[in-house]
Amino acid sequence: MMCIFQPLSYQFLRYGNFHYLCITKLPFRMSKILKIKKPSDYNAWLGLSDTHELITVVNFNEISPVRYSLNSYDVYGLFLQGNDEAADLVYGTGKYDYKAGTLICVAPGQLGGKEDNGELVNLTGWAVLFHPDILQGTGLEKEIKNFSFFDYRINEALHMTTEERDVMVSLMRQLAQELKFPADEMQNRIIAGFINMLLRYAQRFYNRQFVTRTVVNNDVLSKFETLLKDYFDSDMQASLGLPTVQYCSEKLCLSPNYLSDLIKRTTGDTANHYIKRYVIQLAKNMLVAGKNSSEVAYALGFGYPQHFARMFKKVSGMTPSEYTRSRSDQKK
């Protein structure tokens, strides 16, 4: 499986109060992209007034019809699809059939949405966009980087049950109500509390999805194992060294975070450690076959034998020579 990325040419343009990032997918036409530096940029596009400078909650049921926009984000965003017809949305380099009950999470530096074609569309569902500054002075300021789903690709979106969606909608509705109150010294902390709850529920529901989608997960795991086998069968380690999570995720057309989380939920092991255990098992086979430690190290793509010996001991609990002796003792 291959992920193909086209070369891009970038140009920033200004039109009225809007800033656009124009991208050329060479040799194709230019795409007009809305630059969302703060929540008010998205509000202006939708024709909404600002209730807070650092966060907005959008109930699409109340403002439709609206125009689509292809967005470049400097903010965090949670987009919850309602019961309207599926939208062919773009996210990064891919497309996704964005269906009812789906939650898409975006982070600063990402691209997503659907290019404006001038048509008005009826949307339901909700969106919460917030600037990172809203989290200053809270525990979530640093912890938000631990919510790995912000770096998932679009085909890794969260598909919620009706009950799960109701929980998210209830929190978004309460957050929207809070934004209508006059600002005071407690408001930003209350807002951060709602954001914290939204993210933790999203993590809980993702954990559920990893468990319930066992067929899909097992298929990815099988492809992951096949990829590792083909890597060494093709002797790619001779030129590329040991396979990495980044390499494997690209070949599987998954984000590194999603692959790591999926492997962790499926096997209890991290993707990085899974690769190491696979490599050490190959090493054990070679050692039993009579190769010495240095021969095994170079055959598996290690730059130095001592690096191999260090990984071998960390994974197996013994050095290569100790393992060889233990196998010899078993044969006696």
Side-chain angles (χ1 to χ4, degrees):
M1 184 183 298
M2 295 181 61
C3 296
I4 301 175
F5 300 89
Q6 295 175 335
L8 302 177
S9 174
Y10 299 87
Q11 181 181 9
F12 285 94
L13 299 179
R14 179 187 176 97
Y15 180 74
N17 293 325
F18 299 106
H19 292 79
Y20 296 98
L21 171 64
C22 290
I23 298 181
T24 304
K25 291 184 178 181
L26 302 177
F28 304 110
R29 63 181 176 81
M30 301 287 280
S31 294
K32 186 168 63 176
I33 297 180
L34 177 64
K35 182 73 173 177
I36 302 179
K37 292 187 174 182
K38 49 190 177 181
S40 60
D41 293 327
Y42 195 58
N43 283 342
W45 174 261
L46 298 174
L48 296 173
S49 58
D50 297 332
T51 54
H52 194 289
E53 63 177 346
L54 296 176
I55 186 170
T56 186
V57 179
V58 179
N59 183 350
F60 288 106
N61 302 270
E62 296 179 349
I63 64 172
S64 286
V66 299
R67 288 160 58 187
Y68 283 122
S69 61
L70 187 57
N71 310 317
S72 175
Y73 297 100
D74 284 346
V75 299
Y76 289 97
L78 306 175
F79 292 86
L80 175 60
Q81 176 73 353
N83 295 319
D84 43 286
E85 294 183 1
D88 186 23
L89 297 182
V90 173
Y91 183 84
T93 57
K95 291 188 176 181
Y96 181 74
D97 188 22
Y98 184 35
K99 297 180 179 179
T102 298
L103 181 72
I104 292 177
C105 304
V106 300
Q110 296 178 351
L111 182 73
K114 183 176 182 180
E115 185 178 356
D116 174 32
N117 59 7
E119 296 180 4
L120 293 175
V121 291
N122 288 302
L123 297 178
T124 61
W126 294 73
V128 176
L129 283 77
F130 59 94
H131 195 277
D133 286 353
I134 193 70
L135 305 179
Q136 285 183 355
T138 70
L140 197 55
E141 182 178 6
K142 294 181 179 180
E143 193 179 2
I144 194 169
K145 299 183 183 300
N146 297 330
F147 291 98
S148 55
F149 51 75
F150 277 114
D151 289 321
Y152 290 172
R153 292 183 180 176
I154 195 67
N155 60 313
E156 303 153 357
L158 173 59
H159 301 274
M160 292 184 292
T161 65
T162 300
E163 293 76 14
E164 290 170 348
R165 182 182 179 278
D166 289 344
V167 170
M168 300 298 279
V169 170
S170 175
L171 289 172
M172 291 180 179
R173 195 183 302 276
Q174 293 177 69
L175 177 54
Q177 185 63 37
E178 172 61 34
L179 295 179
K180 295 178 182 179
F181 293 149
D184 57 28
E185 69 277 5
M186 294 298 298
Q187 187 177 61
N188 279 3
R189 288 193 172 275
I190 292 173
I191 291 171
F194 275 113
I195 294 173
N196 184 50
M197 290 185 67
L198 283 166
L199 299 185
R200 294 193 185 281
Y201 271 111
Q203 187 65 73
R204 168 187 279 183
F205 299 153
Y206 255 117
N207 291 345
R208 184 272 310 160
Q209 180 167 288
F210 280 123
V211 172
T212 57
R213 301 182 72 192
T214 53
V215 174
V216 175
N217 295 346
N218 289 337
D219 182 56
V220 172
L221 181 59
S222 177
K223 290 178 180 178
F224 184 40
E225 292 173 343
T226 300
L227 179 64
L228 293 175
K229 181 178 183 301
D230 291 344
Y231 188 93
F232 287 99
D233 286 349
S234 301
D235 203 29
M236 295 181 67
Q237 72 276 13
S239 57
L240 300 179
L242 296 177
T244 63
V245 175
Q246 180 72 36
Y247 170 86
C248 293
S249 64
E250 289 178 357
K251 292 299 180 181
L252 295 172
C253 288
L254 298 171
S255 65
N257 278 359
Y258 189 86
L259 177 61
S260 295
D261 290 347
L262 186 150
I263 297 300
K264 180 71 173 178
R265 294 291 172 183
T266 304
T267 69
D269 212 349
T270 66
N272 185 50
H273 195 256
Y274 192 95
I275 293 172
K276 290 180 178 179
R277 286 199 298 107
Y278 185 91
V279 171
I280 296 308
Q281 185 57 54
L282 293 180
K284 288 179 177 179
N285 295 341
M286 292 181 183
L287 290 170
V288 171
K291 290 184 178 293
N292 62 44
S293 181
S294 295
E295 291 173 330
V296 173
Y298 292 126
L300 291 177
F302 287 87
Y304 301 95
Q306 56 267 37
H307 292 171
F308 162 66
R310 191 178 304 123
M311 181 191 290
F312 193 99
K313 183 175 177 99
K314 188 173 183 179
V315 173
S316 68
M318 61 183 73
T319 65
S321 58
E322 288 172 343
Y323 176 76
T324 302
R325 285 197 299 271
S326 70
R327 293 292 296 181
S328 298
D329 292 341
Q330 291 176 10
K331 295 179 181 179
K332 294 179 181 179

